[in-house]
Amino acid sequence: MTLHIMSSAPSVTNLWTTPNNVIQLLDMVVPFESNHLLSAKKTLCFSTRHHMPAKSSPLSLTQMKIRVPRTLSFASGNGKGKAGSEVEAIVGDNTSKEHNWSFDFPESKPEFSLLDSEAYLSGDQNISIVLEKLNALRSHLLAAEKWNASSLQSCDRKYLECATNLIHYMALRSLDTEQLNSYLASLGLSSLDNNNLSVLSNLDATINLLMKSPMESWKQQKGKTIKKNDKVRALSYKELLLGKPREGRKTHIMVTVGKEATESETFITDILKAGASVIRINCAHGDPTIWSEIIKRVRRTSHMLEMPCRVLMDLAGPKLRTGTLQPGPCVMKVSPKKDAYGNVVSPAVVWLSVTGTEPPAHLSPDATIFLQDQEFLASLQIGDSVRLCDARGKKKRLRISKEFDVFSSAGFVAECFDTAYVESGTELYVKGKKGRCLVGEVVDVPPKESFVRLRVGDLLVITREGSFDEPSVTVPGAHRLTCPSGYLFDSVKPGEAIGFDDGKIWGTIKGASPSEVIVSITHAGPKGTKLGSEKSINIPQSDIRFKGLTSKDIKDLEYVASHADMVGISFIRDVQDITVLRQELKKRKLNDLGIVLKIETESGFQNLPLILLEAMKCLNPLGVMIARGDLAVECGWERLANIQEEILAICKVARVPVILATQVLESLVKSGVPTRAEITDAANGRRASCVMLNKGKHIVEAVSMLDTILHTKLIYKKPDSENLH
């Protein structure tokens, strides 16, 4: 049976523009048999708090605009009021053929105000009032679903339930249900948004529980409100993107690798054995030659060890970065350890081998010297004294202390008791038994990393790349860097804050022109902070409008599609970015390539629900990465924890797997010793589907520790009854 009820008021006008900010949904419910509707005519009051509109919350959800229904229709599926009956809310004009998501809930959230006399009513009367409000809330959720029906139809079938649940959740979050949740808690029931895997089912279960069960039996039945298969379905989306976790594990571990993976024969093997199940390659660094070698080693090692491992390749995106500085000289410093008086405490450990032969995993040399003379290395013996004339023209010696067989050649460990500067072309020689000198030549010494050291009060001039030869502002004593992106010079304004290298350095823009930006440094380390090539630049206050996919991204996408399992889309900001991505994927027929949306800007966070709903129109497996590096700089350090919680909650509702990234166990990765805070942060990763580690000297140890943290179960020992008194 279907009933159409027209409100006796002219219409239910805009919820938020009535004179007293109070809406009364009159005559919404008529007496007929339905398990979800009251059998008596009631008035439900929604009211906003009586104060001036507050400034928008830094954690406000996507601001959506709900169009208020002109007609409300309620239908009972079988006319007999059984539990399976459904309530349908028909809202707005359904003739529109647009497939755009259009919920824009206002920042001023209404609250479910309980009647003043409620506290004096009997238990049954209280329950009746709560049921009335729950039924109205249910209609509100269904209205939001109905209004977005055309867009829901364009979602891929496997995401239809996820998208619908997300719409219900956003409709629920648009209302202030705190008082209602408190009342439910006083009855021993869970809050309305407690089971986010199925918002509407949880609400239905609560309504049914209140209608069917006496108060004293609620506690026994409230555990039945959660669908058992919700968690199973959420798990399937995780496996679709990241693969099946290894036995006994629930959370994947992702490791970022670069060129270092091609310089060691055992690196990939070591991190996979330690627990890594996803390898990440950043397309902002390296080239297809390096990427291909990394992927080849990952596939080969994964097959050999019978440990499934997927590959994620991050597109560089429209990120602002410093330009490439001119490389420094190709020279390395070999220095022994000294005490406070300058006396040598222990010699520097040097690895000598042919080009490309890395030392054994258990060795951690202070320096690595490659030679191209196999004959010279073959003549070396333990105890030999290798002589050289360093870059300063000073004579130095290395004493051979150990020999190792490495694959088809030999490598040696030498000790150096005096500081030496070794460069490419330096000759090493050793005297033979017959007085003949054997000579070897040092090769492949890497260039020193170039950087500028910035201190508080310094001036930094950022020049558009390629414009060094053009007339520029002369700033005496200023440091100079380039930036390859024109967005920086076209959009920034004096007075805006600017951050470098994930917020390690901050400054204020003092002047800007089409070719230069002048920055005054306001925050840096006590002794200054290094700023080198390809470091991030963030301008949170600027309204820079980037393209979703750059020309480099589209070019790299061709490579990623044929080599990787997943692609990371950097700096997602709004629905338009997803539309462009969908077009590129459709053009290349990439339906199986996993998509990881990286949330690292304020707009990306604010638009996350709409971004997810738009992405669900794709056939591709879907995931989200919380890129905390840029996200903290863009949104503010003090907001990061709450933003992370919001993203986890929204993705849980949408059943989208989440990757937690940036500075997980960072101290352990870099120095070998973790901080206490890092350990608890890593443990928080259990709530995510995957945790990402960045590269560093102690990455293998970090993977092993993270694997232990994520998958160690707490075992509570039962207390001895004798010790309880």
Side-chain angles (χ1 to χ4, degrees):
M1 139 178 144
T2 302
L3 296 176
H4 293 271
I5 308 103
M6 294 299 297
S7 172
S8 57
S11 66
V12 183
T13 54
N14 191 310
L15 284 170
W16 324 114
T17 58
T18 52
N20 298 319
N21 288 332
V22 176
I23 288 298
Q24 293 188 335
L25 302 182
L26 302 173
D27 305 324
M28 281 181 54
V29 186
V30 296
F32 68 93
E33 291 184 347
S34 170
N35 204 35
H36 292 297
L37 297 174
L38 296 179
S39 58
K41 186 181 298 185
K42 297 287 182 182
T43 299
L44 175 63
C45 296
F46 297 79
S47 68
T48 57
R49 302 183 187 277
H50 297 287
H51 54 66
M52 295 298 290
K55 194 174 182 179
S56 110
S57 166
L59 289 173
S60 63
L61 294 172
T62 306
Q63 294 166 6
M64 308 176 178
K65 186 177 285 185
I66 267 201
R67 300 174 202 180
V68 180
R70 293 293 187 270
T71 302
L72 295 173
S73 171
F74 300 87
S76 174
N78 47 29
K80 295 182 179 180
K82 292 186 178 180
S85 62
E86 290 294 332
V87 180
E88 181 182 15
I90 302 175
V91 277
D93 180 8
N94 291 325
T95 60
S96 173
K97 296 183 179 180
E98 295 182 2
H99 293 276
N100 296 323
W101 305 101
S102 74
F103 9 110
D104 197 357
F105 297 115
E107 294 175 13
S108 177
K109 297 180 181 179
E111 86 179 301
F112 283 84
S113 58
L114 300 177
L115 300 180
D116 294 337
S117 60
E118 200 168 18
Y120 304 101
L121 298 178
S122 66
D124 290 341
Q125 288 174 308
N126 275 337
I127 294 171
S128 177
I129 293 172
V130 172
L131 279 169
E132 176 186 355
K133 300 179 188 303
L134 292 176
N135 280 299
L137 176 60
R138 189 177 193 276
S139 298
H140 176 64
L141 268 57
L142 292 171
E145 176 186 343
K146 189 68 177 180
W147 185 245
N148 289 278
S150 59
S151 295
L152 282 170
Q153 290 172 3
S154 63
C155 285
D156 185 67
R157 283 186 63 186
K158 65 174 173 285
Y159 291 125
L160 180 59
E161 188 176 351
C162 304
T164 304
N165 193 52
L166 180 54
I167 289 172
H168 292 160
Y169 178 74
M170 298 306 298
L172 176 65
R173 289 293 300 272
S174 74
L175 304 175
D176 184 354
T177 59
E178 182 178 355
Q179 195 173 0
L180 186 58
N181 282 330
S182 297
Y183 189 81
L184 291 174
S186 71
L187 300 177
L189 297 176
S190 299
S191 63
L192 295 173
D193 56 356
N194 187 53
N195 178 22
N196 292 337
L197 289 175
S198 185
V199 174
L200 187 60
S201 296
N202 187 45
L203 178 59
D204 285 343
T206 302
I207 293 172
N208 288 331
L209 197 59
L210 287 171
M211 294 187 72
K212 289 183 177 181
S213 304
M215 293 180 64
E216 58 270 14
S217 65
W218 288 347
K219 193 172 182 180
Q220 301 174 3
Q221 299 195 30
K222 64 180 180 180
K224 300 179 182 179
T225 60
I226 300 177
K227 286 187 175 181
K228 293 182 179 179
N229 59 347
D230 283 339
K231 292 184 178 180
V232 175
R233 287 199 296 271
L235 183 62
S236 67
Y237 290 108
K238 178 171 73 174
E239 293 184 0
L240 195 64
L241 178 74
L242 300 167
K244 190 174 182 180
R246 296 179 190 173
E247 187 176 355
R249 292 166 170 81
K250 294 182 179 179
T251 307
H252 289 269
I253 296 177
M254 179 186 296
V255 178
T256 301
V257 302
K259 189 177 180 181
E260 72 280 354
T262 66
E263 297 171 347
S264 171
E265 291 295 329
T266 62
F267 179 80
I268 298 296
T269 301
D270 292 340
I271 61 175
L272 260 60
K273 286 183 176 179
S277 56
V278 183
I279 296 298
R280 171 180 173 263
I281 299 172
N282 190 350
C283 293
H285 307 290
D287 54 60
T289 302
I290 296 174
W291 305 338
S292 295
E293 181 61 26
I294 294 172
I295 294 173
K296 183 179 74 174
R297 295 188 182 208
V298 170
R299 303 296 190 202
R300 183 181 64 205
T301 305
S302 173
H303 179 74
M304 180 180 66
L305 298 176
E306 296 183 348
M307 293 181 174
C309 181
R310 297 199 173 183
V311 175
L312 165 70
M313 295 188 72
D314 266 359
L315 300 180
K319 185 172 183 175
L320 296 178
R321 296 180 184 273
T322 57
T324 303
L325 294 171
Q326 292 295 324
C330 297
V331 61
M332 72 172 72
K333 181 182 180 181
V334 182
S335 180
K337 294 179 177 63
K338 299 180 181 180
D339 61 18
Y341 297 97
N343 300 314
V344 174
V345 176
S346 60
V349 177
V350 181
W351 173 253
L352 291 175
S353 67
V354 294
T355 303
T357 304
E358 294 293 320
H362 66 278
L363 286 181
S364 297
D366 299 305
T368 298
I369 295 179
F370 291 129
L371 302 102
Q372 61 182 7
D373 305 281
Q374 185 71 45
E375 182 182 354
F376 174 80
L377 287 168
S379 68
L380 293 178
Q381 297 179 357
I382 295 176
D384 281 352
S385 179
V386 179
R387 305 184 184 192
L388 62 98
C389 186
D390 76 355
R392 300 173 297 171
K394 296 185 177 181
K395 295 181 179 180
K396 306 294 177 180
R397 292 189 181 188
L398 304 175
R399 186 174 65 84
I400 304 298
S401 59
K402 294 179 183 178
E403 179 180 359
F404 292 91
D405 292 325
V406 185
F407 299 104
S408 60
S409 61
F412 295 88
V413 173
E415 297 176 341
C416 180
F417 290 87
D418 197 8
T419 301
Y421 290 84
V422 181
E423 60 184 343
S424 294
T426 298
E427 291 187 344
L428 307 182
Y429 59 95
V430 61
K431 289 184 178 180
K433 294 181 179 179
K434 297 181 180 180
R436 186 171 67 93
C437 287
L438 294 174
V439 179
E441 183 178 333
V442 177
V443 296
D444 296 338
V445 175
K448 297 286 288 183
E449 182 183 359
S450 296
F451 60 86
V452 295
R453 185 179 293 275
L454 298 173
R455 297 174 173 82
V456 174
D458 284 355
L459 289 178
L460 173 67
V461 178
I462 307 173
T463 307
R464 188 190 290 262
E465 199 164 84
S467 63
F468 264 130
D469 297 331
E470 298 178 7
S472 62
V473 178
T474 301
V475 183
H479 302 279
R480 297 184 71 86
L481 286 173
T482 62
C483 177
S485 175
Y487 292 114
L488 174 67
F489 307 94
D490 298 336
S491 304
V492 297
K493 300 178 182 65
E496 292 178 337
I498 182 170
F500 301 93
D501 197 5
D502 288 341
K504 293 184 178 70
I505 303 169
W506 280 95
T508 301
I509 296 175
K510 294 298 183 182
S513 72
S515 60
E516 288 188 337
V517 172
I518 302 174
V519 179
S520 175
I521 303 301
T522 58
H523 176 81
K527 297 181 180 180
T529 304
K530 296 178 181 178
L531 180 59
S533 303
E534 298 184 359
K535 298 301 182 182
S536 64
I537 301 176
N538 296 89
I539 314 172
Q541 301 167 3
S542 177
D543 57 353
I544 299 176
R545 177 62 211 174
F546 297 100
K547 293 180 180 178
L549 291 175
T550 65
S551 56
K552 181 182 186 308
D553 291 338
I554 294 174
K555 179 181 177 182
D556 290 342
L557 184 60
E558 299 283 354
Y559 180 91
V560 173
S562 57
H563 291 81
D565 305 296
M566 297 172 277
V567 59
I569 312 299
S570 300
F571 288 89
I572 289 290
R573 285 174 167 79
D574 52 33
V575 172
Q576 183 59 34
D577 292 341
I578 301 298
T579 303
V580 174
L581 173 64
R582 285 174 51 216
Q583 292 171 351
E584 295 297 331
L585 294 173
K586 186 177 181 180
K587 188 188 302 181
R588 294 164 176 78
K589 298 181 180 179
L590 303 177
N591 296 331
D592 297 325
L593 183 66
I595 300 173
V596 176
L597 307 176
K598 296 177 65 179
I599 305 302
E600 43 198 332
T601 64
E602 175 82 26
S603 58
F605 165 63
Q606 294 288 352
N607 294 320
L608 179 58
L610 293 177
I611 288 171
L612 291 178
L613 289 169
E614 189 69 19
M616 287 177 183
K617 295 179 180 179
C618 299
L619 299 174
N620 307 67
L622 182 63
V624 163
M625 177 183 287
I626 307 177
R628 301 186 297 183
D630 283 289
L631 192 59
V633 179
E634 291 278 335
C635 299
W637 303 94
E638 66 280 0
R639 295 177 57 201
L640 180 61
N642 288 336
I643 288 175
Q644 178 174 299
E645 291 300 309
E646 285 286 351
I647 295 175
L648 284 168
I650 291 171
C651 290
K652 180 181 178 182
V653 169
R655 298 169 190 166
V656 172
V658 175
I659 301 168
L660 189 65
T662 312
Q663 289 191 321
V664 178
L665 296 178
E666 184 81 355
S667 297
L668 175 59
V669 172
K670 301 296 184 185
S671 67
V673 181
T675 66
R676 278 76 169 170
E678 285 179 347
I679 298 296
T680 53
D681 175 58
N684 195 40
R686 295 170 184 163
R687 301 171 57 205
S689 302
C690 180
V691 180
M692 191 191 90
L693 294 173
N694 282 320
K695 53 189 175 182
K697 187 176 181 181
H698 302 276
I699 184 63
V700 177
E701 297 95 312
V703 173
S704 180
M705 178 175 283
L706 180 60
D707 185 60
T708 302
I709 292 170
L710 293 175
H711 304 113
T712 298
K713 294 182 178 179
L714 290 176
I715 301 176
Y716 295 97
K717 183 179 179 181
K718 293 183 178 180
D720 191 343
S721 59
E722 295 180 0
N723 297 329
L724 293 178
H725 305 287

